[in-house]
């Protein structure tokens, strides 16, 4: 989303910043009025910090690191916002206020946040909850999910009420506004190395001098505004392109997994069919043996030449063969039922694979459209740069002609004298 659309109503002048400082020093005796003033001041400082960070990052056009001053001030402002209205937790060492507790809840609301929470807990140099909270904010910004995590946290007021007072910034509308403003930071690439950084003992003090600028300095030329808008649109398209590429890769992986599962089920179905054929052959053989035994028994009965012991043994063998036949028939019925279930599962898998392939084709089409849009925006940016260069050359020529005319006038005046 272009930054001009997010911050078109944000004041950025000496008078407004002076008003922020005066509000921060308000000595009102009403606690609700004081908390409301603090929320408003923190929200304004967050607006100024985020806007200044985005504008300076786009002008630099590079990856930001922990030494960049506007980025350091952004984290200080975010820390103040998260600390506003925190309830004091009683421990054996006294009362403790830390915003690490609310941030730990994010992994329960958004499973993707579990990775950075585990990374923060594994960092060896962090000894305090404040240091872990600062590291969590930096990792979330690197992951470009800070806005998503803050929105998920603010939407669960029932969980936040355990950590914050009812009139705290995170419990009021200002917190939702700040979470929406954080979406603009997705166009920024940040890289932090926190292994050697002392996050436990840093002093979080807001430096107002960074935002005390003359209001006239914020007025740029119309051409610069167009170039900034095109750059913002380009960054937004690149961000959306990355998300779509990740979605396409995930769907492709799911399709590959379904194809492997389909192949495995096909092999199992073939094995089951072979087993059924083998059982049918065994059943036919048992039937033939039973018929033969039965016929032999009948012949023995008619002839009355076989003794009673042989007849008893033949009947016993016939009973065993009959039981074996029943067992084989039950197993055959079970295999047939399993075969039907596998065929049904195969049909459902084939249908699912077709649907995933259609979705994959649609996403690839969207990806191609976004690439075309990105190319068009790049062309517009190049055209804007060429126009600015032509204007600069024309201005130089006009200055040369002006100097020539001044020299000519001077010569004419001298000749007249």
């Amino acid at each position: 989303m272009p930054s001009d659309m997010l911050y078109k109503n944000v004041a950025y002048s000496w008078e407004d910043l002076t008003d922020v400082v005066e509000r921060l020093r308000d000595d009102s005796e009403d606690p609700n009025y004081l908390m409301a003033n603090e929320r408003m001041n923190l929200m304004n400082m967050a607006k100024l910090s985020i806007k200044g960070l985005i504008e300076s990052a786009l002008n630099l056009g590079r990856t930001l690191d922990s030494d960049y001053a506007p980025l350091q001030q952004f984290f200080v402002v975010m820390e103040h916002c998260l600390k506003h209205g925190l309830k004091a937790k009683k421990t054996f060492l006294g009362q403790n206020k830390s915003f690490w507790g609310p941030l730990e809840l994010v992994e329960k609301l958004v499973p993707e946040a579990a990775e950075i929470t585990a990374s923060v807990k594994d960092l060896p140099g962090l000894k305090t909850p404040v240091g872990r909270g600062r590291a969590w904010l930096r990792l979330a910004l690197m992951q470009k999910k800070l806005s998503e995590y803050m929105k998920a946290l603010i939407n669960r007021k029932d969980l936040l009420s355990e950590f914050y007072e009812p009139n705290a910034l995170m419990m009021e509308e200002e917190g939702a506004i700040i979470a929406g403003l954080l979406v603009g930071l997705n166009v920024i690439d940040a890289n932090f190395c926190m292994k050697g950084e002392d996050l436990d003992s840093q002093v979080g003090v807001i430096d107002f001098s960074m935002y005390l600028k003359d209001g006239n300095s914020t007025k740029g030329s119309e051409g610069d505004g167009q170039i900034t808008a095109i750059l913002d649109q380009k960054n937004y398209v690149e961000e959306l392109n990355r998300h779509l590429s990740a979605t396409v890769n995930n769907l492709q992986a799911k399709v590959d997994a379904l194809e492997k599962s389909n192949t495995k089920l096909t092999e199992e179905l073939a094995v089951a069919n072979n087993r059924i054929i083998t059982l049918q052959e065994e059943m036919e053989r048992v039937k033939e043996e039973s018929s033969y035994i039965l016929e032999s028994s009948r012949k023995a009965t008619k002839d009355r030449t076989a003794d009673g012991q042989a007849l008893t043994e033949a009947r016993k063998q016939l009973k065993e063969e009959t039981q074996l036949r029943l067992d084989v028939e039950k197993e055959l019925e079970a295999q047939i039922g399993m075969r039907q279930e596998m065929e049904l599962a195969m049909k459902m898998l084939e249908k699912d694979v077709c649907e995933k392939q259609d979705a994959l084709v649609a996403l690839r089409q969207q990806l191609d459209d976004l690439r075309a849009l990105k190319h068009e925006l790049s062309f517009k940016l190049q055209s804007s740069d060429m126009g600015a260069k032509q204007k600069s050359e024309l201005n130089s020529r006009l200055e040369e002609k002006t100097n020539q005319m001044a020299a000519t006038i001077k010569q004419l005046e001298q000749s007249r004298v």
Side-chain angles (χ1 to χ4, degrees), residues 100-266:
W100 171 241
L103 295 182
E104 280 188 299
L105 295 176
V106 178
E107 65 176 342
K108 299 179 181 178
L109 305 176
V110 184
E112 297 175 2
E115 180 180 355
I116 63 173
T117 303
S119 299
V120 169
K121 293 179 179 179
D122 292 337
L123 285 174
L126 299 178
K127 300 179 181 179
T128 64
V130 175
R132 287 191 285 270
R134 290 168 177 169
W136 190 95
L137 289 174
R138 284 159 173 77
L139 291 176
L141 183 63
M142 288 175 59
Q143 202 180 38
K144 297 187 177 182
K145 293 292 184 68
L146 182 57
S147 174
E148 179 182 348
Y149 296 159
M150 294 302 293
K151 285 181 180 178
L153 188 61
I154 289 173
N155 289 335
R156 294 299 302 272
K157 298 290 193 303
D158 54 335
L159 298 178
L160 290 177
S161 61
E162 180 183 354
F163 300 94
Y164 290 98
E165 299 292 343
N167 52 2
L169 184 141
M170 295 293 289
M171 301 292 289
E172 296 291 343
E173 184 181 3
E174 288 84 353
I177 294 174
I178 293 175
L181 294 175
L182 292 175
V183 177
L185 298 180
N186 291 340
V187 302
I188 295 177
D189 293 324
N191 187 16
F192 304 103
C193 182
M194 289 173 289
K195 290 185 177 179
E197 189 173 0
D198 186 9
L199 297 176
D200 293 325
S201 60
Q202 289 183 358
V203 179
V205 179
I206 300 176
D207 185 7
F208 294 98
S209 63
M210 295 184 61
Y211 309 103
L212 299 178
K213 298 182 180 179
D214 188 6
N216 295 327
S217 64
T218 60
K219 297 180 180 179
S221 62
E222 183 179 358
D224 293 338
Q226 292 177 354
I227 292 174
T228 303
I230 291 173
L231 284 171
D232 292 339
Q233 293 174 4
K234 179 183 176 183
N235 291 327
Y236 174 73
V237 169
E238 288 177 351
E239 182 69 19
L240 186 59
N241 189 4
R242 283 195 291 268
H243 283 294
L244 284 176
S245 298
T247 304
V248 169
N249 293 333
N250 291 335
L251 286 176
Q252 185 65 45
K254 290 181 180 178
V255 169
D256 294 338
L258 287 174
E259 289 178 352
K260 291 180 181 178
S261 178
N262 189 7
T263 304
K264 185 177 180 181
L265 286 175
T266 303

Side-chain angles (χ1 to χ4, degrees), residues 228-344:
T228 303
I230 291 173
L231 284 171
D232 292 339
Q233 293 174 4
K234 179 183 176 183
N235 291 327
Y236 174 73
V237 169
E238 288 177 351
E239 182 69 19
L240 186 59
N241 189 4
R242 283 195 291 268
H243 283 294
L244 284 176
S245 298
T247 304
V248 169
N249 293 333
N250 291 335
L251 286 176
Q252 185 65 45
K254 290 181 180 178
V255 169
D256 294 338
L258 287 174
E259 289 178 352
K260 291 180 181 178
S261 178
N262 189 7
T263 304
K264 185 177 180 181
L265 286 175
T266 303
E267 294 174 354
E268 292 178 355
L269 182 61
V271 172
N273 288 333
N274 294 333
R275 178 62 177 170
I276 290 172
I277 293 172
T278 303
L279 289 173
Q280 288 176 347
E281 292 175 353
E282 289 180 359
M283 188 177 69
E284 293 294 332
R285 182 177 58 81
V286 169
K287 285 181 178 180
E288 292 176 357
E289 291 178 356
S290 178
S291 299
Y292 176 76
I293 293 171
L294 183 60
E295 186 178 356
S296 300
S297 177
R298 289 175 180 175
K299 288 182 179 180
T301 303
K302 291 179 180 179
D303 296 337
R304 293 181 179 180
T305 56
D307 55 7
Q309 185 178 1
L311 182 60
T312 303
E313 185 178 355
R315 287 178 178 176
K316 183 178 179 180
Q317 188 177 2
L318 177 61
K319 185 178 180 180
E320 292 174 354
E321 293 292 338
T322 304
Q323 185 64 34
L324 179 62
R325 176 185 174 185
L326 292 174
D327 294 338
V328 171
E329 288 178 351
K330 288 181 180 179
E331 188 176 358
L332 179 61
E333 289 176 358
Q335 291 293 334
I336 291 173
M338 187 181 298
R339 177 182 179 183
Q340 292 176 352
E341 290 177 357
M342 286 185 177
E343 289 176 352
L344 181 60

Side-chain angles (χ1 to χ4, degrees), residues 334-359:
Q335 291 293 334
I336 291 173
M338 187 181 298
R339 177 182 179 183
Q340 292 176 352
E341 290 177 357
M342 286 185 177
E343 289 176 352
L344 181 60
M346 284 284 294
K347 291 179 181 179
M348 294 176 67
L349 281 173
E350 289 175 356
K351 183 178 179 181
D352 194 11
V353 169
C354 292
E355 291 177 355
K356 297 295 183 182
Q357 288 177 347
D358 294 338

